Amino acid sequence: VIAAAAIPGLPEIRPGDDLAALLREHVGDGDVLVLAHKVVSKAEGRVVRIADIEPGPEARALAEAHDKDPRHVQVVLDESEEVVRAERGVLVCRTRHGFVCANAGVDASNSEDGTLVLRPDDPDASARRLRAALGATAGIVIADSFGRAWRHGQCDVAIGIAGLAPLDDWRGRHDAHGNDLRATVIAVADEAAAAADLARSKASREPAVVVRGLDRFVTQEDGPGARALVRPLSEDLFR
Amino acid sequence: VIAAAAIPGLPEIRPGDDLAALLREHVGDGDVLVLAHKVVSKAEGRVVRIADIEPGPEARALAEAHDKDPRHVQVVLDESEEVVRAERGVLVCRTRHGFVCANAGVDASNSEDGTLVLRPDDPDASARRLRAALGATAGIVIADSFGRAWRHGQCDVAIGIAGLAPLDDWRGRHDAHGNDLRATVIAVADEAAAAADLARSKASREPAVVVRGLDRFVTQEDGPGARALVRPLSEDLFR
């Protein structure tokens, strides 16, 4: 049985806030704590004021072509290694962490007026630091909402992980019929992020969700992190 | 709070089996029942014997180029509208339902030796029939595992839906700061499929999971089904 419950009553997070101190009492050994990336970013001060941005020529051209704020586009470009697609007002970017997503994860929702919240500089490192500070053998997932190339709507996925197996690899194991499960590698951390997303409201301040029942995927070591979920460029069939 | 629990003790499903009769006692009003598509396919007889397949020239050529069984490839082609990518042994196909996925969802795992399990002919219709037969105001999700273009591992998503809102559309609503939540459409049914996948083991016979706590997305009407999750070809940036 899997159970996901939002942690109630968290205050608005500001730069320098001690997330671990706020969350510690809610997280025990074997739990998986899923955090919306924005609270981690805010605590780490990864927030920019739009008024402070000076857009360059590439940002101005893209903004003009896609009816966007050139300052917003400049921040997106700063977070991107590559713009994979720019079409119909959508900038699909590859971030420097290898994530392919709209606007390089730069978002104006759930932020104070006139600011943009970036992703944590190194989400796996953020997850590891938070885990150490919590002092529990818990899995930490930092989640963000991703669109999908061929499906409507967004699902939360893991962009930072510590202490949770990102993937459950069944290749080489067998199903109930004795068949080889060749192609089955389950993205456990992404499914945990999705389950957690169902347990909170986007409108309320419920950025933290505890998922129970995933003990078998929680590890003593911090593990490879969300980096293990990134398909390398050399395997990208849709560049 | 979201809770997902596998239904224990289901027998191996065979063509003609009455799924609703097996599941009825486990599902109540407001529950979401998530079924691995294979049990639905098996009950509907959507199983082919590999020995009965006569591959055509296109299947033979693709099989030769990608080191696959030409009979398996023929079944994949029969289920596909279009092969979107054929590279490194992977056939990414668009099925006639519009789903873009590896091998058009044709899979040899968890099937009897020498057989391939296809998807239900019309997964939304299968979900609606099952819902009617269950006689509860429950949401039904028929799930399958999809790989992702830019991420390793697979996540379960919804390929058939009845009685559950596929999408939770927050566009036009506001976040806790009063900001417009322009781009936030949550793929609720896909996240429910993902949560359910965490609650069962791929090796054991636990194809059915009941998810509780999603009452707010369960509808009186059957609703638009998983078709609403398919991004139309005209919006496909990655064809």
Side-chain angles (χ1 to χ4, degrees):
Chain A
V1 179
I2 306 295
I7 296 175
L10 293 177
E12 176 70 17
I13 303 299
R14 301 192 180 282
D17 279 355
D18 184 349
L19 277 180
L22 292 166
L23 299 169
R24 193 172 289 122
E25 67 177 304
H26 300 283
V27 184
D29 291 342
D31 289 351
V32 174
L33 171 66
V34 181
L35 288 168
H37 83 280
K38 283 184 186 169
V39 289
V40 178
S41 294
K42 287 177 185 174
E44 294 181 356
R46 293 275 295 161
V47 177
V48 294
R49 287 169 44 87
I50 295 175
D52 296 342
I53 309 297
E54 185 56 55
E58 189 186 354
R60 289 185 186 278
L62 272 170
E64 172 79 25
H66 296 280
D67 193 25
K68 288 177 169 290
D69 183 330
R71 300 167 301 177
H72 190 160
V73 174
Q74 183 61 55
V75 177
V76 170
L77 292 178
D78 292 344
E79 294 291 302
S80 300
E81 286 282 329
E82 181 191 2
V83 178
V84 181
R85 289 288 186 285
E87 215 169 316
R88 295 188 204 95
V90 180
L91 301 181
V92 180
C93 303
R94 181 183 300 273
T95 71
R96 63 179 182 282
H97 307 105
F99 300 122
V100 176
C101 53
N103 297 320
V106 177
D107 198 347
S109 67
N110 273 309
S111 64
E112 283 176 74
D113 211 30
T115 64
L116 297 171
V117 180
L118 314 181
R119 293 216 176 117
D121 189 48
D122 180 347
D124 283 333
S126 300
R128 290 192 297 267
R129 276 196 302 272
L130 186 63
R131 184 177 204 229
L134 282 174
T137 307
I140 309 293
V141 172
I142 298 173
D144 199 358
S145 301
F146 276 44
R148 288 89 50 87
W150 300 289
R151 293 175 77 79
H152 280 143
Q154 302 180 308
C155 281
D156 270 22
V157 300
I159 63 166
I161 303 171
L164 182 74
L167 296 161
D168 184 25
D169 192 342
W170 284 77
R171 289 173 300 182
R173 289 189 264 178
H174 297 91
D175 66 20
H177 294 280
N179 291 320
D180 213 14
L181 283 168
R182 261 182 311 175
T184 304
V185 180
I186 304 170
V188 168
D190 287 340
E191 292 191 335
D197 194 39
L198 291 173
R200 58 188 166 83
S201 160
K202 290 273 186 226
S204 65
R205 291 193 185 114
E206 294 182 330
V209 173
V210 174
V211 183
R212 301 211 156 92
L214 296 176
D215 319 49
R216 66 193 185 283
F217 301 119
V218 174
T219 55
Q220 284 293 330
E221 319 75 50
D222 288 334
R227 230 154 259 256
L229 289 165
V230 174
R231 198 182 283 280
L233 259 181
S234 60
E235 296 176 12
D236 186 348
L237 305 181
F238 298 97
R239 194 127 167 271
Chain B
V1 178
I2 306 294
I7 296 175
L10 293 177
E12 176 70 16
I13 303 299
R14 301 192 179 282
D17 280 354
D18 184 350
L19 277 181
L22 292 166
L23 299 169
R24 192 173 289 122
E25 67 177 303
H26 301 282
V27 184
D29 290 344
D31 290 351
V32 175
L33 171 66
V34 181
L35 289 167
H37 83 280
K38 282 185 185 168
V39 289
V40 179
S41 295
K42 287 177 184 175
E44 295 181 355
R46 292 276 294 159
V47 177
V48 295
R49 288 170 42 86
I50 295 175
D52 295 342
I53 308 297
E54 186 56 56
E58 189 187 354
R60 289 186 187 278
L62 272 171
E64 172 79 24
H66 296 280
D67 194 25
K68 288 176 169 291
D69 182 330
R71 299 168 302 178
H72 190 159
V73 173
Q74 183 60 55
V75 178
V76 170
L77 292 179
D78 292 345
E79 294 292 301
S80 300
E81 286 282 329
E82 180 191 3
V83 178
V84 181
R85 288 289 186 286
E87 214 169 315
R88 295 187 204 96
V90 180
L91 301 180
V92 179
C93 303
R94 180 183 301 272
T95 71
R96 63 181 183 282
H97 307 105
F99 299 122
V100 176
C101 54
N103 297 320
V106 177
D107 198 346
S109 67
N110 273 309
S111 64
E112 283 176 75
D113 212 32
T115 64
L116 297 171
V117 180
L118 313 181
R119 293 214 175 117
D121 189 48
D122 180 346
D124 282 332
S126 300
R128 290 193 296 267
R129 277 196 302 273
L130 186 63
R131 185 178 203 228
L134 282 175
T137 307
I140 309 292
V141 172
I142 299 174
D144 198 358
S145 301
F146 276 44
R148 288 90 49 88
W150 301 288
R151 294 175 76 80
H152 281 144
Q154 302 179 307
C155 282
D156 270 22
V157 300
I159 63 165
I161 303 172
L164 181 74
L167 296 162
D168 184 24
D169 193 342
W170 283 78
R171 288 172 301 182
R173 289 190 263 177
H174 297 91
D175 66 20
H177 294 280
N179 290 320
D180 213 13
L181 283 167
R182 260 182 311 173
T184 304
V185 180
I186 304 170
V188 168
D190 286 341
E191 292 192 336
D197 193 39
L198 291 174
R200 58 188 166 84
S201 160
K202 289 272 186 227
S204 66
R205 290 191 185 117
E206 293 183 332
V209 174
V210 174
V211 183
R212 301 213 156 92
L214 295 176
D215 319 49
R216 67 193 185 281
F217 301 118
V218 174
T219 55
Q220 285 292 331
E221 319 75 51
D222 288 334
R227 232 156 257 257
L229 289 165
V230 174
R231 197 182 284 279
L233 260 182
S234 60
E235 296 176 14
D236 186 348
L237 304 182
F238 298 96
R239 193 125 168 274

